[in-house]
Amino acid sequence: MSRRVKRPLRPAGDRPKGARPYRGSAAERPQSYRPGGKSPARFPASPPRAARPVVPEPEKTVVEPPPLPTKVQTVVVTADENNMRVDRFLEARFPGLSFSHIQRIVRKGELRVNGKRADSKDRLEEGQSVRIPPLKLDTPKGVGQLSEAATKTLQALKEMTIFEDADVMVLNKPAGLAVQGGSGITRNVDDMLEVMRDAKGQKPRLVHRLDRETSGCLLIAKTRFAATALTGSFRHRSARKIYWALVAGVPKPKQGRISTYLAKEESEDDSIMRVAKHGDEGASHAVTYYAVVETSAQKLAWVSLKPVTGRTHQLRAHMAHIDHAIVGDPKYFNKENWELPGGLQKRLHLLARRIVIPHPRGGVIDATAPLPPHMLQSWNLLGLEADRFDPIENAPEE
């Protein structure tokens, strides 16, 4: 590995065009932040936040799920189901329903909330009436009945697994594999999980999402109890996620906070997340902490990212917003006349590096994913040391 020669620091006032400093209020800035100062802002060292205890569900409270309706029925959303997504509501009420079946009845408008059509991602509120059409449960496969293709799928899932117990799995999702189905997608994690249905017809559930080209830690709940607890941890921001990215240029200051509103912008060919104003239709607040870990000739930077919120494409949109787009990003890389250094693959350089979340039955899940092949190649070519201390560890949690 070649030794990298450190170059003299650029004067603080000589900031690259378009680069944005830390934008938080005075109360939000790290104590050492100095506008125009000669040193990068640094996160104050702080002990890791203790995981919130999760009380295990008593076994005696488990109730057998109701039979699938053979005719149209209307049910009322309970307090425990408040703020639950429509698709998760159906999965919880009727374990064993396939993802494709749920999407089909929602897309056709057969499921209605308070008499109106709903989207699978819509959140339900306590007291709402949900019209449920007749449902059909996929017949679970018995032990030893897996086809050759299903056996290969099961083996592929096992090879991706970096943590597993009776309640939870963490997969190291490869770049290019979609998490859920969609237009033009023939293979995805959610469909692959069909081969893991148990004798009661329940299959493991996705707890969160990763973009198709993002690799790394993907959390899966193997039981309904685990799904409820883990989803609650994400909702209450008890989950800590750390991402690694390779970006164009070197952000200044080298550690900071990005806070914007993001809204989806649709076009005929695609949709992206744009930076919006507070109050704009569909705009949601998004907060990301970033820290430069190492640089390569001031042309590229290895950046560690900690999202506080979990908006669609949040990290990709935020890094492009501060003029340091992620290398290989087909949607958000917006630097003109910028050439990819020789030897680096034109693929998204974004890794869901680590996830730390309270375990549903006590303790903590702490899983780390290695660099995917295309990013490992880039790290080796640029002489970046993957075992360096990651300063994002000391970033605030809020």
Side-chain angles (χ1 to χ4, degrees):
M1 185 179 297
S2 60
R3 182 182 298 273
R4 192 166 41 81
V5 178
K6 291 187 177 179
R7 301 197 173 191
L9 292 174
R10 186 196 303 264
D14 187 12
R15 182 167 285 128
K17 183 179 179 181
R20 301 169 189 270
Y22 184 98
R23 293 295 189 187
S25 66
E28 295 169 336
R29 296 169 181 160
Q31 293 178 357
S32 58
Y33 175 78
R34 294 181 295 166
K38 296 183 179 180
S39 302
R42 297 188 181 280
F43 296 129
S46 59
R49 185 178 61 173
R52 299 180 185 180
V54 178
V55 179
E57 178 182 285
E59 294 296 332
K60 60 183 180 182
T61 63
V62 176
V63 179
E64 288 298 317
L68 292 179
T70 56
K71 58 183 180 180
V72 174
Q73 69 170 351
T74 300
V75 300
V76 177
V77 179
T78 66
D80 290 339
E81 294 165 335
N82 185 55
N83 201 40
M84 187 179 287
R85 282 173 38 148
V86 168
D87 52 1
R88 298 294 177 231
F89 170 82
L90 286 172
E91 285 185 350
R93 286 255 183 168
F94 308 106
L97 276 182
S98 68
F99 171 79
S100 58
H101 192 181
I102 291 173
Q103 296 301 312
R104 184 167 60 253
I105 64 174
V106 173
R107 185 174 62 250
K108 290 183 177 180
E110 295 176 6
L111 180 142
R112 292 180 176 265
V113 178
N114 284 354
K116 298 180 180 179
R117 294 176 70 107
D119 187 87
S120 60
K121 296 180 181 179
D122 288 349
R123 301 279 179 175
L124 295 171
E125 297 178 6
E126 180 184 357
Q128 286 183 324
S129 297
V130 182
R131 175 194 183 275
I132 299 175
L135 301 175
K136 180 181 178 182
L137 180 65
D138 289 356
T139 303
K141 295 182 180 293
V143 178
Q145 296 181 359
L146 290 179
S147 65
E148 182 179 352
T151 301
K152 289 182 178 179
T153 297
L154 185 61
Q155 180 60 30
L157 287 170
K158 295 300 181 184
E159 291 174 357
M160 291 182 211
T161 302
I162 53 181
F163 172 85
E164 183 177 13
D165 62 17
D167 294 289
V168 182
M169 292 172 62
V170 181
L171 302 181
N172 176 20
K173 187 192 81 66
L177 176 62
V179 172
Q180 286 185 304
S183 177
I185 294 175
T186 57
R187 187 168 183 259
N188 62 80
V189 174
D190 193 57
D191 284 350
M192 293 173 71
L193 293 173
E194 291 286 345
V195 303
M196 295 185 66
R197 285 192 182 276
D198 61 20
K200 295 182 180 179
Q202 295 191 65
K203 80 166 190 178
R205 298 167 170 84
L206 299 168
V207 178
H208 67 126
R209 310 288 185 272
L210 292 178
D211 295 340
R212 183 175 183 173
E213 295 304 323
T214 301
S215 62
C217 296
L218 180 67
L219 191 64
I220 309 291
K222 296 173 67 177
T223 62
R224 188 180 356 167
F225 164 60
T228 300
L230 295 172
T231 301
S233 291
F234 274 96
R235 188 180 304 126
H236 299 124
R237 297 183 182 173
S238 300
R240 182 157 59 100
K241 295 179 290 181
I242 293 175
Y243 290 74
W244 282 2
L246 188 68
V247 304
V250 179
K252 291 187 177 181
K254 287 192 173 182
Q255 296 177 6
R257 180 180 186 269
I258 307 168
S259 175
T260 71
Y261 283 83
L262 295 176
K264 182 178 289 188
E265 187 173 89
E266 301 280 1
S267 67
E268 291 184 5
D269 302 325
D270 207 351
S271 64
I272 64 169
M273 301 300 290
R274 63 174 178 82
V275 173
K277 295 180 181 178
H278 179 45
D280 284 359
E281 183 179 358
S284 299
H285 190 215
V287 176
T288 302
Y289 285 94
Y290 73 85
V292 175
V293 184
E294 196 173 3
T295 65
S296 178
Q298 300 301 306
K299 184 179 178 67
L300 296 164
W302 161 16
V303 175
S304 189
L305 302 162
K306 181 188 284 188
V308 175
T309 52
R311 312 304 179 199
T312 300
H313 297 176
Q314 175 176 320
L315 303 181
R316 298 164 64 182
H318 269 174
M319 294 314 294
H321 174 63
I322 65 170
D323 199 33
H324 295 286
I326 298 174
V327 171
D329 191 334
K331 285 180 179 281
Y332 297 92
F333 197 93
N334 52 10
K335 300 181 77 67
E336 296 182 2
N337 302 319
W338 193 90
E339 294 184 5
L340 191 70
L344 273 62
Q345 297 183 45
K346 193 174 182 180
R347 302 183 64 185
L348 182 67
H349 282 59
L350 180 61
L351 165 70
R353 171 66 174 176
R354 184 180 176 196
I355 186 165
V356 182
I357 189 169
H359 192 285
R361 299 191 186 276
V364 174
I365 300 166
D366 189 347
T368 300
L371 288 167
H374 70 285
M375 289 180 68
L376 180 60
Q377 179 186 32
S378 299
W379 260 238
N380 289 337
L381 287 169
L382 298 171
L384 303 176
E385 300 174 8
D387 59 351
R388 288 179 67 96
F389 170 71
D390 188 346
I392 205 71
E393 292 286 340
N394 292 327
E397 300 289 344
E398 301 295 337

